Amino acid sequence: MLWTEKMFGVKKPIITMLHLDPLPGDPRFHYGDTMERVVEHARADLHALQEGGVDGIMFSNEFSLPYERHMSFITPAAMARVIGELKSEIRVPYGVDCISDGQASIELAAAVDAKFIRGTFSGVYVGDGGFYNNDFSALLRRKAALHLDDLKMLYFINPESDRSMDTRPLVDIAKSTIFKAHPDGLCISANAAGQDVDDELIASVKSGAPDVVVLCNTGCRPDTIERKLTTADAAVVGTYFKEGGKLENDKLENVRVDVNRVKEFMEVVHRFRETL
């Protein structure tokens, strides 16, 4: 049995992103914004996601654009405040993603008792933010130092938007990452958030890493999720669950979760699970 079945209590779980509003210090955190408002918006999204029936939730600083490779202290501190205020209302396993800073994710997880984290923990990439040189030797030592033996780490091995400097086939990258770091999960992405992941790419990685959880990380919709879960062990869903399926509105503001879109999606997933 995969660890995902034990943690979430179902086969092929759906982990959803809970995108926090801009946080203090972020360029989009404007004069007049307050942490109270950030918490209330996160509370509304949390309740909609849980009412819609998702299996797990991952809190992320999605609107801390542009992302910092080494986060200002205020960002994980603000995330910890939000999660702390909502913790008594969370009914499903939850994780955190301090985007682009693996050490911040590990340390935030220790502070808020998160069960899993997601991030670009290994490899070298180039993108709009320059070079991203990830040192998983340091990250795994920090995890060990904090005694986070049960914390699950979900590795991006082909992050959207950035280009890997490693030209090997993705399945070879997966195999070597498994040998060196023993990741708990491998997240397979398309070239950008919301785009369809190549089914053959998911299948190739899963065939080369049969004992590791493989997650479809982008482009999951009601009309694609059954096909994705045929080969993937789980899926991460974010933008589709928002009103109109949009990440942000015309004012570049975080769009709230639409509970009806969540229910529609999860109904498809439930029907698919009945065939397993």
Side-chain angles (χ1 to χ4, degrees), residues 4-275:
T4 45
E5 294 182 40
K6 296 177 182 178
M7 179 180 290
F8 299 103
V10 295
K11 293 182 178 180
K12 310 280 188 175
I14 302 300
I15 301 169
T16 184
M17 302 302 300
L18 196 159
H19 296 154
L20 299 179
D21 289 355
L23 303 170
D26 293 338
R28 296 191 190 184
F29 190 85
H30 301 303
Y31 178 78
D33 290 341
T34 64
M35 278 302 300
E36 285 81 4
R37 184 183 180 193
V38 174
V39 171
E40 286 311 306
H41 283 174
R43 174 174 283 114
D45 285 350
L46 172 66
H47 288 198
L49 291 166
Q50 292 185 147
E51 183 182 342
V54 300
D55 304 303
I57 291 173
M58 183 148 39
F59 293 86
S60 78
N61 60 317
E62 198 75 19
F63 283 81
S64 294
L65 293 158
Y67 302 123
E68 297 177 289
R69 291 295 291 158
H70 301 288
M71 279 188 175
S72 303
F73 181 82
I74 184 61
T75 306
M79 294 175 73
R81 174 181 172 179
V82 175
I83 297 168
E85 291 203 31
L86 299 181
K87 193 172 181 181
S88 64
E89 302 167 46
I90 304 174
R91 304 195 306 267
V92 297
Y94 62 92
V96 295
D97 183 358
C98 295
I99 299 175
S100 292
D101 189 336
Q103 181 163 317
S105 293
I106 289 171
E107 295 180 353
L108 177 59
V112 301
D113 300 320
K115 300 296 184 184
F116 53 92
I117 60 175
R118 184 188 69 164
T120 309
F121 306 128
S122 60
V124 179
Y125 302 87
V126 63
D128 298 332
F131 281 104
Y132 302 85
N133 188 7
N134 301 285
D135 184 356
F136 58 9
S137 67
L139 295 180
L140 292 178
R141 282 167 173 78
R142 185 57 177 156
K143 178 174 178 279
L146 293 173
H147 306 291
L148 298 173
D149 298 339
D150 296 327
L151 178 67
K152 304 301 184 184
M153 294 180 66
L154 311 180
Y155 282 54
F156 283 112
I157 55 172
N158 65 331
E160 67 255 26
S161 302
D162 297 324
R163 181 180 295 276
S164 175
M165 304 302 289
D166 191 336
T167 58
R168 293 176 297 166
L170 196 62
V171 64
D172 292 342
I173 295 174
K175 288 179 179 179
S176 64
T177 303
I178 291 167
F179 176 75
K180 295 171 184 174
H182 302 289
D184 301 293
L186 300 173
C187 296
I188 314 301
S189 308
N191 291 330
Q195 291 187 5
D196 240 354
V197 181
D198 187 327
D199 297 329
E200 293 184 5
L201 191 60
I202 299 174
S204 70
V205 173
K206 185 60 186 177
S207 66
D211 298 323
V212 178
V213 171
V214 173
L215 302 94
C216 181
N217 197 53
T218 61
C220 294
R221 304 181 303 275
D223 61 320
T224 65
I225 190 59
E226 292 187 51
R227 191 172 75 252
K228 302 306 178 188
L229 291 180
T230 299
T231 48
D233 300 303
V236 180
V237 185
T239 303
Y240 181 81
F241 288 157
K242 293 169 171 282
E243 295 171 359
K246 295 182 178 180
L247 176 67
E248 58 190 12
N249 62 22
D250 293 340
K251 297 180 180 179
L252 303 182
E253 297 169 329
N254 188 8
V255 173
R256 303 271 65 85
V257 170
D258 181 344
V259 66
N260 292 320
R261 292 177 71 91
V262 183
K263 289 179 177 179
E264 171 196 17
F265 185 98
M266 292 307 299
E267 285 174 2
V268 177
V269 173
H270 293 153
R271 288 196 300 269
F272 174 75
R273 286 178 184 155
E274 292 175 357
T275 68

